[in-house]
Every structure is written in structure tokens, then in C-alpha cells.
Amino acid sequence: MKSKRHTQASVTDRQRKPKADPTSGGSPLEIPKYRQVYDDLLSSIKAGTFRPGDRLPSEAELGKRYETSRITVAKAVNELQLRGLVSRRAGSGTHVLAPARSSGHLFGLLIPDLGKTEIFEPVCHGMMQSPLAKAHSLLWGHAMGDAALQEREAEQLAHRYVEQKVSGVFFAPLEFTPARDAVNQRIVAVLDRANIAIVLLDRCYAPYPTRSKYDLVGIDNRRTGFLITQHLLRLGLRRIAFLAKPLSATTVAARISGYREALLAYGIDNREDLVRRGDPDDPKFIDDMLQSCKPEGIVCANDWTAAHLMTHLAAKGIRVPEDMRVVGIDDVKYAAMLPTPLTTEHQNCGNIGAAALSAMLDRVENPLLPTRDILLQTQTVVRRSCGAHLLSGRGTASSLSA
């Protein structure tokens, strides 16, 4: 996002050249003196030479500067006042006013993963397509690069939003970076000091069971973890592992909790922990997981992890779903286009965006509202990777089921 720079101009003593009168065959038409003063002061206000709150020179000082009477200067200043650009207060002079604010709000997006996943773009589009969005504006912002650069850019973006005086920020806390906890804390502290409302997207930065004081809009991750695990259990699987990347957000911890609850509900012994955290692109890690867990199926923390796992399994000659059942969470666009289409939990990102905008407007209108978790439900999308078609004999399944 580019910041605009304004060229600084100063009030000058120059006389403006007469303009040609189009009705007189080119003869000069003298601009009224008060209008010259008005135009010059207006240019200086627009250029930022006189900023909101600044006191203009007195009428006597302006009269000397422009070599004109105080009455002429007063007429120019009065026109500025009629346009809402300055205020005149007895005893304190004439001061520049801040631009009148429109009825709409300006909001900022602080989403480090924007452009790197298929989740947050449709969330943002859901905000913009909401009927509530018509009167408001949205600034897009993300942080790219390695972990250190991502952390630095995210903090810089928070400061930029303070300078731009946004009404609120939609913040998806950083994950997968070593200093994420400290950086997330500094970001919300910067916005708090500026009295900028915050709505968290997808996840809270505070480790469970603690909870930040900000509204959160996302999915019910615990229920989601339960549902996708239950789907494999209903297919007759009993030895089910869970795969996630290290340093994942609290959403993954909630999904693991739901996974474990589903196993418990179906009478599966939880004493042997089959949760593994590691890089799905690391062949040694995957080999160790397969050897130690000996799973019939694997619940992946998200579709990205599932897609990378399936690539490694294919390289080893392990067929999905004939030899290994794999499921994911999110239902990103490519989930249905993988060599073996992925069974997953679908989250409606557009609805999340619309709900987030509604929550933000509520928060801006009433800052004293209690903290809220607005959690949308997901649906299980059944495709080939879970092997349901092997039992039913129906071929490829692609229906939505609750």
C-alpha cells in the first residue's frame, strides 16, 4: 500500500496574474483582491502548510503580506469559514479545521497471510459484498517474506493505520513465526493506544484457555475437528492420526481437541497419542509418523497440510484412499482438484467476512460491548480421499453433509 506525499507550499506575497475575459476578446479581467487572498490561503491549507489546528496569521498580518485592507482579508477568511475550512474564535484567532468526516468509516486489513492462502481473500470479498459495506472503505495490507520480515512489516502496517486514522482494523494474528506472540501483543498495543477498534479474524493470539479482549470471527474449530474425525470413525477406522505444522495458531489446538473428543466419544483409547507436529514436506518426519503411528487414516490440520502429505504418500507408492485415508479442513479451491480429491470441512469464507464487518460496526458504535466469539459452522464435503466410495460402491462422492 503506497502512502501519498503532499508537496508543501507556502503563503506567498505574489500577485496573481489577471485572467483573460473570454467575452472581451482576450482583454484582462482583474481577479478581486479578496479572491486572490482566499485562493492563496486555500492552496496553503490543501498543501498542508497550514494543518488542522494551526492558527492563521492575524488579519493585520495578512493585510501587510498581501498589501491590502483588513476588510478585504476578513472577506477572504469569512469565505474559508463558510466552506468549513477554518473557525474564528474571539480572542484566539482563526484556526484550520480538520476535514469533515464522512458518515462512512475507513477500516484496515492486517492479514500477514493475505495472498498466500485461499482463506483470507474470500473473507475480504465477503466484507466488501456485504450490504453493510456500501458506506465504508477498506485498506488492504499484508506482510510478506521470511519470518523476521513478516513480523517487521506487520508492525509497520499497524503504525501506518494509526497515521491514517482508521476506525478499526481486522487482524489475523501471525502464526508460524518464532516471535509471533510478542509481535502480536505489540501490534494490538499500538492500535489500542490509538483507540482503534480490533476484530480478530480466524484466530486469537492468546494461548488457550486464555482469551484476548477482542471480538473474534471465524469457525467453531473444536466442532470442526470433531466432525471431520467422526466422518472417518463412521467409515470404520479406529487408528487415526492427526498431523499439524509446528507453531500453528490456536485454531489448530482447538481442532486437535475436537479430534480427541471424537475418539473418546467412539470409545477409542486416547492413552496412545497419535498427534504429530512437523513439516509435511519433510520425508523423514512423515516416514517416522507412519512408522510410529501406523495409522489407517490421517486428519490434517488444514487442506494445505493434506495436499503436501498426499504428495509424499504418492511418492512412496502409498495409495490414497486404498492404503491410507486422508482428510483436511478448510475446503480451499484446489481441494477438489487434487489427483485424489480431498474430503474436508467446508468453511464459508464469504459469510465470515460479512459477519466480521457486522461485528466491527457494532464495536465501533458501542465500544463497551462484551467480548464476543462469533463462530460459524462448517459442513463435511465428502470426496474420494476418505474412501467412502469404497464402502458404498457409488464412485466419486462430492455431496455436502452436515
Side-chain angles (χ1 to χ4, degrees):
M1 192 168 57
K2 297 181 179 178
S3 58
K4 297 180 181 177
R5 292 190 175 184
H6 301 285
T7 303
Q8 299 295 311
S10 59
V11 177
T12 66
D13 297 325
R14 67 185 182 278
Q15 298 294 322
R16 300 187 183 274
K17 295 181 180 180
K19 294 181 179 178
D21 182 358
T23 64
S24 61
S27 60
L29 178 65
E30 185 68 28
I31 299 175
K33 189 71 175 183
Y34 91 90
R35 188 71 192 185
Q36 296 178 33
V37 177
Y38 167 83
D39 287 344
D40 216 21
L41 291 174
L42 177 62
S43 295
S44 296
I45 292 172
K46 287 184 175 180
T49 302
F50 292 122
R51 299 177 180 275
D54 286 351
R55 180 182 178 277
L56 293 184
S58 67
E59 292 179 0
E61 291 171 326
L62 291 173
K64 291 180 181 179
R65 180 173 294 180
Y66 291 101
E67 298 180 356
T68 190
S69 67
R70 291 184 62 176
I71 294 176
T72 299
V73 170
K75 187 175 181 180
V77 174
N78 185 58
E79 189 161 334
L80 291 172
Q81 184 179 18
L82 290 175
R83 286 194 55 181
L85 298 172
V86 300
S87 66
R88 308 176 77 180
R89 288 170 279 179
S92 62
T94 301
H95 292 77
V96 178
L97 294 174
R101 193 167 182 150
S102 66
S103 58
H105 291 286
L106 179 63
F107 298 119
L109 292 170
L110 210 171
I111 304 177
D113 290 334
L114 192 62
K116 296 196 296 184
T117 73
E118 293 194 23
I119 296 299
F120 290 112
E121 286 79 0
V123 169
C124 297
H125 286 298
M127 294 180 192
M128 294 186 295
Q129 291 169 2
S130 166
L132 299 175
K134 292 182 180 178
H136 311 292
S137 301
L138 197 61
L139 295 175
W140 293 61
H142 59 85
M144 303 293 285
D146 60 18
L149 181 60
Q150 190 181 58
E151 292 168 351
R152 185 165 62 253
E153 288 183 344
E155 287 195 69
Q156 291 172 351
L157 188 57
H159 286 283
R160 200 177 308 159
Y161 284 151
V162 172
E163 294 171 0
Q164 292 170 310
K165 301 186 187 315
V166 300
S167 299
V169 169
F170 298 97
F171 179 37
L174 284 89
E175 59 176 342
F176 304 129
T177 68
R180 59 179 183 162
D181 293 338
V183 174
N184 288 330
Q185 290 281 2
R186 289 198 295 268
I187 287 172
V188 296
V190 165
L191 300 175
D192 266 346
R193 286 194 294 270
N195 293 317
I196 293 174
I198 299 172
V199 169
L200 301 176
L201 295 177
D202 183 60
R203 54 197 179 243
C204 183
Y205 58 86
Y208 185 85
T210 57
R211 175 70 168 84
S212 71
K213 63 179 181 178
Y214 309 106
D215 295 332
L216 184 151
V217 182
I219 62 172
D220 187 339
N221 287 284
R222 189 168 177 171
R223 182 176 183 273
T224 296
F226 187 104
L227 288 175
I228 196 64
T229 306
Q230 176 180 255
H231 178 70
L232 292 182
L233 291 165
R234 285 178 171 176
L235 295 178
L237 278 66
R238 290 297 178 264
R239 194 165 182 84
I240 303 171
F242 191 104
L243 174 60
K245 287 183 65 176
L247 301 176
S248 298
T250 53
T251 52
V252 172
R255 293 172 185 183
I256 292 173
S257 294
Y259 152 82
R260 287 176 170 149
E261 286 182 9
L263 296 179
L264 184 62
Y266 279 75
I268 306 300
D269 189 351
N270 274 331
R271 286 178 295 181
E272 184 181 4
D273 190 7
L274 300 186
V275 174
R276 296 293 184 269
R277 292 180 181 268
D279 184 357
D281 286 325
D282 180 358
K284 184 179 185 306
F285 165 74
I286 297 299
D287 289 344
D288 290 344
M289 181 191 71
L290 295 175
Q291 185 174 359
S292 62
C293 295
K294 295 180 173 56
E296 301 169 280
I298 302 173
V299 175
C300 295
N302 50 48
D303 293 350
W304 183 92
T305 300
H308 286 250
L309 169 65
M310 290 166 68
T311 299
H312 177 77
L313 294 177
K316 287 181 63 66
I318 299 175
R319 300 171 301 164
V320 176
E322 290 82 1
D323 304 322
M324 182 69 65
R325 315 291 179 89
V326 177
V327 295
I329 294 173
D330 287 337
D331 195 24
V332 296
K333 289 181 180 178
Y334 60 77
M337 298 182 288
L338 293 169
T340 302
L342 182 66
T343 293
T344 184
E345 283 290 315
H346 173 80
Q347 57 173 312
N348 191 317
C349 297
N351 287 349
I352 291 173
L357 178 59
S358 178
M360 176 65 80
L361 294 173
D362 288 346
R363 178 58 57 188
V364 170
E365 182 71 21
N366 186 357
L368 299 180
L369 281 173
T371 301
R372 298 167 296 173
D373 285 333
I374 302 172
L375 304 180
L376 282 65
Q377 294 187 7
T378 60
Q379 290 179 300
T380 306
V381 183
V382 182
R383 300 191 181 103
R384 290 183 63 87
S385 72
C386 67
H389 65 287
L390 300 177
L391 299 179
S392 64
R394 290 177 297 154
T396 301
S398 59
S399 60
L400 287 175
S401 59

